[in-house]
Amino acid sequence: MTTMTQTSARFREFKMPDVGEGLTEAEILKWFVQPGDTVTDGQVVCEVETAKAAVELPIPFDGVVHELRFGEGTTVDVGQVIITVDVAPGSEEEAPAPAPVQEPVEATAPAPEEPKGRTPVLVGYGVAESSTKRRPRKGAAAPEAAAVAAAVQAELNGHGSAAPAPAPAPAPEPDVVARPLAKPPVRKLAKDLGIDLATVVPTGKDGIITREDVHAAAAPAASEAESVAPSAAEPVAVSAPEAPATVDSARETRIPVKGVRKAIAQAMVGSAFTAPHVTEFVTVDVTRTMKLVAELKEDKEMAGVRVNPLLIIAKALLVAIKRNPEVNAAWDEANQEIVQKHYVNLGIAAATPRGLIVPNIKDAHDKTLPQLAAALGELVSTARDGKTSPAAMAGGTVTITNVGVFGVDTGTPILNPGESAILAVGAIKLQPWVHKGKVKPRQVTTLALSFDHRLVDGELGSKVLADVAAILEQPKRLITWA
């Protein structure tokens, strides 16, 4: 979706678009252009990270960059202007003065034509002063009448005193404009510690007060209170807020929860406490599967694609779903229905520098082994490059997570929201195994299947897991069962 507005015949604005699935915000990771750079239609101007993936945004027109509204690392709401482009450089029309690069909370409202509008603060838009300010403007020719009108209106609004001051008109505006910027948790911390935010010196970007600023302000306040208080006074109330002030930045690092990490946290909490999970385990001899993988690597039909155990495991799961189609379903809470899926969008959990993502292979059930191998290879490489699109992560039905690549035996995976099952594959190791009545070294792995017990009974889940294990033990079942 491309979003743009036209402020004049010369200057055009490009807004943060909804890059897919109704996302409401995105973080600007990197700007590829600066003011004064020439851009062309379709040129990528920045990279943003949504709750699902990193996405490059192209500009939809030609021109010269006039201003960038937000800096890198800023989270911007969908629909906010992020860049202004001069589409007719050199023309006689006067260029608008560039606005300072700012946080999204300061740009939630367009620049007002009049200097006395509602001032945006960190949350909301502050005090509505329209009625207070209109009266002075009507009586601008008489300053004394304007002052009296402002005082009367302030009294009606509940902000005035019993005896109006000689010149109260300019007082409300600086109070609103200079309202300290701080996020709600920081405001609560200041309230708990008894700190007036107006007295705190901000060190955050664009004048935003941080938790550290509040702690720094609390430390001298506490020491001053101790020196003034009598020695017999109880020190408990004064010493209580001192503990947070001794934060050692060398021993702790605080990382903002946003983007992919925020989405992962919300999804996992939602899944774990919504779908009743059941996890079953099975240990299986996959020696024959490993031999098949080695043979397929030499097969001309598989040339140019990556062949590994995950490919055979994915095919085994698809066959098991075909034999037990009821497992491929979803729970519709709103309508109190179980939705049977007649297609399989196979998710593959991928660890990326930005966190865990689960892109899926669309209609994996219809793909041949070479096609499935090619799709797996493309999915993994795209995820590692951070180029997975939101559409690639939507609509999954079941998922595979290969924890074996980290050397662990298995785990108890949490369902991807909206899906019915997830298969965890452990490390394949050489272990002693009874084979044909004798103990021999064999390639062995452990599988774990978690499923939503609202729609998958123990019998059905057990059948699916047993079928996957049977195929990996005897890969010829890929032919006989398919």
Side-chain angles (χ1 to χ4, degrees), residues 425-461:
V425 182
I428 299 175
K429 300 178 180 179
L430 196 64
Q431 297 183 17
W433 193 265
V434 178
H435 178 67
K436 295 181 179 179
K438 298 181 180 180
V439 177
K440 296 182 179 181
R442 304 286 288 182
Q443 299 283 352
V444 177
T445 190
T446 300
L447 307 175
L449 183 72
S450 292
F451 50 86
D452 186 343
H453 213 351
R454 293 175 300 179
L455 47 88
V456 179
D457 294 333
E459 179 185 10
L460 176 59

mmCIF file of all heavy atoms in Angstrom, residues 425-461:
data_model
loop_
_atom_site.group_PDB
_atom_site.id
_atom_site.type_symbol
_atom_site.label_atom_id
_atom_site.label_comp_id
_atom_site.label_asym_id
_atom_site.label_seq_id
_atom_site.Cartn_x
_atom_site.Cartn_y
_atom_site.Cartn_z
ATOM 1 N N VAL A 425 11.994 -30.922 16.118
ATOM 2 C CA VAL A 425 12.931 -31.966 15.710
ATOM 3 C C VAL A 425 14.233 -31.765 16.476
ATOM 4 O O VAL A 425 14.826 -30.677 16.431
ATOM 5 C CB VAL A 425 13.202 -31.911 14.197
ATOM 6 C CG1 VAL A 425 14.139 -33.037 13.785
ATOM 7 C CG2 VAL A 425 11.888 -31.982 13.421
ATOM 8 N N GLY A 426 14.662 -32.803 17.181
ATOM 9 C CA GLY A 426 15.889 -32.720 17.957
ATOM 10 C C GLY A 426 17.115 -33.080 17.135
ATOM 11 O O GLY A 426 17.044 -33.406 15.941
ATOM 12 N N ALA A 427 18.275 -33.013 17.783
ATOM 13 C CA ALA A 427 19.536 -33.318 17.116
ATOM 14 C C ALA A 427 19.593 -34.803 16.736
ATOM 15 O O ALA A 427 19.124 -35.665 17.475
ATOM 16 C CB ALA A 427 20.699 -32.962 18.029
ATOM 17 N N ILE A 428 20.149 -35.066 15.577
ATOM 18 C CA ILE A 428 20.347 -36.453 15.121
ATOM 19 C C ILE A 428 21.737 -36.885 15.568
ATOM 20 O O ILE A 428 22.749 -36.311 15.155
ATOM 21 C CB ILE A 428 20.200 -36.547 13.598
ATOM 22 C CG1 ILE A 428 18.782 -36.116 13.188
ATOM 23 C CG2 ILE A 428 20.490 -37.960 13.119
ATOM 24 C CD1 ILE A 428 18.571 -36.063 11.691
ATOM 25 N N LYS A 429 21.776 -37.904 16.445
ATOM 26 C CA LYS A 429 23.042 -38.337 17.042
ATOM 27 C C LYS A 429 23.245 -39.840 16.855
ATOM 28 O O LYS A 429 22.288 -40.606 16.755
ATOM 29 C CB LYS A 429 23.051 -38.010 18.547
ATOM 30 C CG LYS A 429 22.896 -36.532 18.872
ATOM 31 C CD LYS A 429 22.861 -36.312 20.370
ATOM 32 C CE LYS A 429 22.706 -34.842 20.721
ATOM 33 N NZ LYS A 429 22.639 -34.617 22.196
ATOM 34 N N LEU A 430 24.497 -40.222 16.833
ATOM 35 C CA LEU A 430 24.846 -41.645 16.767
ATOM 36 C C LEU A 430 24.717 -42.219 18.168
ATOM 37 O O LEU A 430 25.410 -41.790 19.093
ATOM 38 C CB LEU A 430 26.275 -41.814 16.240
ATOM 39 C CG LEU A 430 26.676 -43.212 15.743
ATOM 40 C CD1 LEU A 430 25.857 -43.607 14.522
ATOM 41 C CD2 LEU A 430 28.165 -43.242 15.415
ATOM 42 N N GLN A 431 23.798 -43.194 18.333
ATOM 43 C CA GLN A 431 23.546 -43.771 19.647
ATOM 44 C C GLN A 431 23.433 -45.292 19.544
ATOM 45 O O GLN A 431 23.117 -45.839 18.472
ATOM 46 C CB GLN A 431 22.234 -43.209 20.220
ATOM 47 C CG GLN A 431 22.235 -41.713 20.467
ATOM 48 C CD GLN A 431 20.940 -41.243 21.088
ATOM 49 O OE1 GLN A 431 20.165 -42.042 21.613
ATOM 50 N NE2 GLN A 431 20.708 -39.936 21.047
ATOM 51 N N PRO A 432 23.675 -45.996 20.650
ATOM 52 C CA PRO A 432 23.444 -47.455 20.643
ATOM 53 C C PRO A 432 21.957 -47.737 20.528
ATOM 54 O O PRO A 432 21.149 -47.133 21.248
ATOM 55 C CB PRO A 432 24.017 -47.901 21.992
ATOM 56 C CG PRO A 432 24.037 -46.672 22.847
ATOM 57 C CD PRO A 432 24.232 -45.532 21.927
ATOM 58 N N TRP A 433 21.602 -48.641 19.624
ATOM 59 C CA TRP A 433 20.193 -48.915 19.335
ATOM 60 C C TRP A 433 20.032 -50.387 18.998
ATOM 61 O O TRP A 433 20.876 -50.964 18.305
ATOM 62 C CB TRP A 433 19.751 -48.054 18.151
ATOM 63 C CG TRP A 433 18.260 -47.992 17.923
ATOM 64 C CD1 TRP A 433 17.536 -48.770 17.071
ATOM 65 C CD2 TRP A 433 17.341 -47.110 18.563
ATOM 66 N NE1 TRP A 433 16.216 -48.431 17.126
ATOM 67 C CE2 TRP A 433 16.064 -47.397 18.037
ATOM 68 C CE3 TRP A 433 17.451 -46.106 19.515
ATOM 69 C CZ2 TRP A 433 14.918 -46.728 18.450
ATOM 70 C CZ3 TRP A 433 16.314 -45.442 19.909
ATOM 71 C CH2 TRP A 433 15.065 -45.749 19.384
ATOM 72 N N VAL A 434 18.952 -50.977 19.492
ATOM 73 C CA VAL A 434 18.704 -52.379 19.179
ATOM 74 C C VAL A 434 18.150 -52.459 17.761
ATOM 75 O O VAL A 434 17.047 -51.986 17.476
ATOM 76 C CB VAL A 434 17.721 -53.011 20.177
ATOM 77 C CG1 VAL A 434 17.441 -54.463 19.778
ATOM 78 C CG2 VAL A 434 18.278 -52.947 21.600
ATOM 79 N N HIS A 435 18.919 -53.078 16.868
ATOM 80 C CA HIS A 435 18.537 -53.209 15.465
ATOM 81 C C HIS A 435 18.704 -54.662 15.040
ATOM 82 O O HIS A 435 19.812 -55.214 15.097
ATOM 83 C CB HIS A 435 19.417 -52.308 14.600
ATOM 84 C CG HIS A 435 19.134 -52.407 13.137
ATOM 85 N ND1 HIS A 435 17.951 -51.977 12.577
ATOM 86 C CD2 HIS A 435 19.884 -52.911 12.111
ATOM 87 C CE1 HIS A 435 17.978 -52.181 11.283
ATOM 88 N NE2 HIS A 435 19.143 -52.759 10.967
ATOM 89 N N LYS A 436 17.583 -55.274 14.662
ATOM 90 C CA LYS A 436 17.570 -56.686 14.263
ATOM 91 C C LYS A 436 18.149 -57.586 15.343
ATOM 92 O O LYS A 436 18.921 -58.518 15.082
ATOM 93 C CB LYS A 436 18.345 -56.878 12.959
ATOM 94 C CG LYS A 436 17.702 -56.168 11.771
ATOM 95 C CD LYS A 436 18.490 -56.412 10.492
ATOM 96 C CE LYS A 436 17.818 -55.722 9.304
ATOM 97 N NZ LYS A 436 18.562 -55.922 8.041
ATOM 98 N N GLY A 437 17.753 -57.282 16.601
ATOM 99 C CA GLY A 437 18.145 -58.133 17.716
ATOM 100 C C GLY A 437 19.529 -57.872 18.266
ATOM 101 O O GLY A 437 19.942 -58.529 19.222
ATOM 102 N N LYS A 438 20.249 -56.919 17.698
ATOM 103 C CA LYS A 438 21.596 -56.615 18.182
ATOM 104 C C LYS A 438 21.737 -55.117 18.459
ATOM 105 O O LYS A 438 21.097 -54.300 17.801
ATOM 106 C CB LYS A 438 22.646 -57.039 17.156
ATOM 107 C CG LYS A 438 22.666 -58.542 16.873
ATOM 108 C CD LYS A 438 23.750 -58.877 15.860
ATOM 109 C CE LYS A 438 23.788 -60.383 15.571
ATOM 110 N NZ LYS A 438 24.848 -60.717 14.594
ATOM 111 N N VAL A 439 22.584 -54.820 19.431
ATOM 112 C CA VAL A 439 22.845 -53.419 19.747
ATOM 113 C C VAL A 439 23.887 -52.878 18.764
ATOM 114 O O VAL A 439 25.006 -53.380 18.706
ATOM 115 C CB VAL A 439 23.339 -53.257 21.204
ATOM 116 C CG1 VAL A 439 23.674 -51.790 21.481
ATOM 117 C CG2 VAL A 439 22.309 -53.771 22.188
ATOM 118 N N LYS A 440 23.475 -51.861 18.013
ATOM 119 C CA LYS A 440 24.362 -51.287 17.007
ATOM 120 C C LYS A 440 24.307 -49.757 17.092
ATOM 121 O O LYS A 440 23.321 -49.191 17.574
ATOM 122 C CB LYS A 440 23.934 -51.727 15.602
ATOM 123 C CG LYS A 440 24.033 -53.214 15.350
ATOM 124 C CD LYS A 440 23.624 -53.533 13.919
ATOM 125 C CE LYS A 440 23.727 -55.026 13.626
ATOM 126 N NZ LYS A 440 23.361 -55.335 12.226
ATOM 127 N N PRO A 441 25.348 -49.096 16.609
ATOM 128 C CA PRO A 441 25.281 -47.622 16.541
ATOM 129 C C PRO A 441 24.348 -47.193 15.406
ATOM 130 O O PRO A 441 24.520 -47.607 14.262
ATOM 131 C CB PRO A 441 26.733 -47.211 16.270
ATOM 132 C CG PRO A 441 27.360 -48.410 15.632
ATOM 133 C CD PRO A 441 26.669 -49.604 16.190
ATOM 134 N N ARG A 442 23.362 -46.390 15.741
ATOM 135 C CA ARG A 442 22.391 -45.945 14.747
ATOM 136 C C ARG A 442 22.179 -44.434 14.890
ATOM 137 O O ARG A 442 22.399 -43.839 15.954
ATOM 138 C CB ARG A 442 21.046 -46.658 14.942
ATOM 139 C CG ARG A 442 21.118 -48.168 14.918
ATOM 140 C CD ARG A 442 21.315 -48.706 13.532
ATOM 141 N NE ARG A 442 20.093 -48.577 12.708
ATOM 142 C CZ ARG A 442 20.022 -49.019 11.458
ATOM 143 N NH1 ARG A 442 21.087 -49.579 10.871
ATOM 144 N NH2 ARG A 442 18.895 -48.887 10.778
ATOM 145 N N GLN A 443 21.705 -43.808 13.809
ATOM 146 C CA GLN A 443 21.362 -42.387 13.835
ATOM 147 C C GLN A 443 19.970 -42.249 14.461
ATOM 148 O O GLN A 443 18.984 -42.757 13.927
ATOM 149 C CB GLN A 443 21.361 -41.817 12.407
ATOM 150 C CG GLN A 443 22.701 -41.903 11.710
ATOM 151 C CD GLN A 443 23.667 -40.833 12.191
ATOM 152 O OE1 GLN A 443 23.292 -39.934 12.936
ATOM 153 N NE2 GLN A 443 24.916 -40.939 11.762
ATOM 154 N N VAL A 444 19.905 -41.525 15.584
ATOM 155 C CA VAL A 444 18.662 -41.449 16.372
ATOM 156 C C VAL A 444 18.318 -39.983 16.646
ATOM 157 O O VAL A 444 19.209 -39.156 16.864
ATOM 158 C CB VAL A 444 18.809 -42.221 17.699
ATOM 159 C CG1 VAL A 444 17.547 -42.091 18.548
ATOM 160 C CG2 VAL A 444 19.122 -43.696 17.428
ATOM 161 N N THR A 445 17.030 -39.692 16.647
ATOM 162 C CA THR A 445 16.559 -38.353 17.016
ATOM 163 C C THR A 445 15.281 -38.474 17.832
ATOM 164 O O THR A 445 14.641 -39.533 17.858
ATOM 165 C CB THR A 445 16.305 -37.479 15.778
ATOM 166 O OG1 THR A 445 16.089 -36.131 16.193
ATOM 167 C CG2 THR A 445 15.072 -37.947 15.010
ATOM 168 N N THR A 446 14.918 -37.381 18.493
ATOM 169 C CA THR A 446 13.685 -37.324 19.272
ATOM 170 C C THR A 446 12.773 -36.257 18.670
ATOM 171 O O THR A 446 13.217 -35.130 18.410
ATOM 172 C CB THR A 446 13.968 -36.989 20.754
ATOM 173 O OG1 THR A 446 14.809 -38.006 21.310
ATOM 174 C CG2 THR A 446 12.674 -36.922 21.550
ATOM 175 N N LEU A 447 11.533 -36.621 18.458
ATOM 176 C CA LEU A 447 10.522 -35.701 17.930
ATOM 177 C C LEU A 447 9.547 -35.333 19.045
ATOM 178 O O LEU A 447 9.241 -36.165 19.909
ATOM 179 C CB LEU A 447 9.741 -36.356 16.784
ATOM 180 C CG LEU A 447 10.550 -36.948 15.627
ATOM 181 C CD1 LEU A 447 9.610 -37.659 14.646
ATOM 182 C CD2 LEU A 447 11.349 -35.871 14.927
ATOM 183 N N ALA A 448 9.076 -34.097 19.009
ATOM 184 C CA ALA A 448 8.058 -33.645 19.970
ATOM 185 C C ALA A 448 6.949 -32.937 19.191
ATOM 186 O O ALA A 448 7.223 -32.046 18.385
ATOM 187 C CB ALA A 448 8.667 -32.696 21.002
ATOM 188 N N LEU A 449 5.723 -33.335 19.429
ATOM 189 C CA LEU A 449 4.573 -32.724 18.761
ATOM 190 C C LEU A 449 3.687 -32.052 19.799
ATOM 191 O O LEU A 449 3.146 -32.707 20.681
ATOM 192 C CB LEU A 449 3.766 -33.769 17.991
ATOM 193 C CG LEU A 449 2.575 -33.214 17.206
ATOM 194 C CD1 LEU A 449 3.051 -32.420 15.992
ATOM 195 C CD2 LEU A 449 1.630 -34.339 16.767
ATOM 196 N N SER A 450 3.565 -30.737 19.717
ATOM 197 C CA SER A 450 2.610 -30.006 20.547
ATOM 198 C C SER A 450 1.359 -29.740 19.719
ATOM 199 O O SER A 450 1.459 -29.395 18.537
ATOM 200 C CB SER A 450 3.198 -28.666 21.019
ATOM 201 O OG SER A 450 4.255 -28.864 21.936
ATOM 202 N N PHE A 451 0.184 -29.888 20.334
ATOM 203 C CA PHE A 451 -1.057 -29.628 19.601
ATOM 204 C C PHE A 451 -2.091 -28.999 20.512
ATOM 205 O O PHE A 451 -2.003 -29.069 21.741
ATOM 206 C CB PHE A 451 -1.601 -30.913 18.951
ATOM 207 C CG PHE A 451 -1.695 -32.109 19.874
ATOM 208 C CD1 PHE A 451 -2.825 -32.310 20.666
ATOM 209 C CD2 PHE A 451 -0.667 -33.033 19.937
ATOM 210 C CE1 PHE A 451 -2.925 -33.410 21.497
ATOM 211 C CE2 PHE A 451 -0.760 -34.139 20.777
ATOM 212 C CZ PHE A 451 -1.884 -34.337 21.557
ATOM 213 N N ASP A 452 -3.055 -28.347 19.882
ATOM 214 C CA ASP A 452 -4.145 -27.668 20.582
ATOM 215 C C ASP A 452 -5.176 -28.714 20.984
ATOM 216 O O ASP A 452 -5.871 -29.279 20.130
ATOM 217 C CB ASP A 452 -4.758 -26.606 19.661
ATOM 218 C CG ASP A 452 -5.802 -25.754 20.363
ATOM 219 O OD1 ASP A 452 -6.294 -26.148 21.433
ATOM 220 O OD2 ASP A 452 -6.134 -24.666 19.817
ATOM 221 N N HIS A 453 -5.284 -28.945 22.282
ATOM 222 C CA HIS A 453 -6.156 -30.026 22.759
ATOM 223 C C HIS A 453 -7.633 -29.690 22.624
ATOM 224 O O HIS A 453 -8.497 -30.549 22.827
ATOM 225 C CB HIS A 453 -5.833 -30.338 24.223
ATOM 226 C CG HIS A 453 -6.025 -31.783 24.578
ATOM 227 N ND1 HIS A 453 -6.606 -32.703 23.740
ATOM 228 C CD2 HIS A 453 -5.715 -32.480 25.711
ATOM 229 C CE1 HIS A 453 -6.652 -33.880 24.317
ATOM 230 N NE2 HIS A 453 -6.121 -33.784 25.518
ATOM 231 N N ARG A 454 -7.976 -28.453 22.265
ATOM 232 C CA ARG A 454 -9.374 -28.123 22.023
ATOM 233 C C ARG A 454 -9.894 -28.806 20.775
ATOM 234 O O ARG A 454 -11.079 -29.157 20.688
ATOM 235 C CB ARG A 454 -9.549 -26.610 21.879
ATOM 236 C CG ARG A 454 -9.292 -25.815 23.129
ATOM 237 C CD ARG A 454 -9.375 -24.326 22.865
ATOM 238 N NE ARG A 454 -8.398 -23.883 21.863
ATOM 239 C CZ ARG A 454 -8.279 -22.627 21.429
ATOM 240 N NH1 ARG A 454 -9.091 -21.698 21.907
ATOM 241 N NH2 ARG A 454 -7.366 -22.312 20.534
ATOM 242 N N LEU A 455 -9.008 -28.979 19.791
ATOM 243 C CA LEU A 455 -9.462 -29.551 18.528
ATOM 244 C C LEU A 455 -8.706 -30.811 18.125
ATOM 245 O O LEU A 455 -9.087 -31.486 17.161
ATOM 246 C CB LEU A 455 -9.375 -28.518 17.406
ATOM 247 C CG LEU A 455 -8.090 -27.688 17.259
ATOM 248 C CD1 LEU A 455 -7.080 -28.367 16.398
ATOM 249 C CD2 LEU A 455 -8.438 -26.326 16.676
ATOM 250 N N VAL A 456 -7.635 -31.135 18.837
ATOM 251 C CA VAL A 456 -6.885 -32.364 18.553
ATOM 252 C C VAL A 456 -6.882 -33.219 19.811
ATOM 253 O O VAL A 456 -6.301 -32.844 20.838
ATOM 254 C CB VAL A 456 -5.439 -32.046 18.121
ATOM 255 C CG1 VAL A 456 -4.672 -33.349 17.868
ATOM 256 C CG2 VAL A 456 -5.423 -31.167 16.885
ATOM 257 N N ASP A 457 -7.539 -34.378 19.745
ATOM 258 C CA ASP A 457 -7.540 -35.312 20.866
ATOM 259 C C ASP A 457 -6.210 -36.048 20.944
ATOM 260 O O ASP A 457 -5.426 -36.056 19.983
ATOM 261 C CB ASP A 457 -8.672 -36.324 20.715
ATOM 262 C CG ASP A 457 -10.045 -35.667 20.827
ATOM 263 O OD1 ASP A 457 -10.143 -34.625 21.500
ATOM 264 O OD2 ASP A 457 -11.003 -36.202 20.218
ATOM 265 N N GLY A 458 -5.974 -36.680 22.095
ATOM 266 C CA GLY A 458 -4.726 -37.418 22.274
ATOM 267 C C GLY A 458 -4.522 -38.500 21.231
ATOM 268 O O GLY A 458 -3.400 -38.722 20.756
ATOM 269 N N GLU A 459 -5.594 -39.179 20.860
ATOM 270 C CA GLU A 459 -5.471 -40.246 19.860
ATOM 271 C C GLU A 459 -5.013 -39.684 18.515
ATOM 272 O O GLU A 459 -4.096 -40.226 17.882
ATOM 273 C CB GLU A 459 -6.814 -40.954 19.685
ATOM 274 C CG GLU A 459 -6.774 -42.068 18.635
ATOM 275 C CD GLU A 459 -8.134 -42.686 18.395
ATOM 276 O OE1 GLU A 459 -9.140 -42.138 18.888
ATOM 277 O OE2 GLU A 459 -8.193 -43.714 17.682
ATOM 278 N N LEU A 460 -5.639 -38.593 18.086
ATOM 279 C CA LEU A 460 -5.284 -38.009 16.797
ATOM 280 C C LEU A 460 -3.850 -37.490 16.814
ATOM 281 O O LEU A 460 -3.082 -37.725 15.872
ATOM 282 C CB LEU A 460 -6.259 -36.870 16.470
ATOM 283 C CG LEU A 460 -5.983 -36.084 15.188
ATOM 284 C CD1 LEU A 460 -5.988 -37.006 13.969
ATOM 285 C CD2 LEU A 460 -6.996 -34.952 15.021
ATOM 286 N N GLY A 461 -3.470 -36.777 17.884
ATOM 287 C CA GLY A 461 -2.103 -36.277 17.969
ATOM 288 C C GLY A 461 -1.090 -37.401 17.972
ATOM 289 O O GLY A 461 -0.028 -37.301 17.336
#
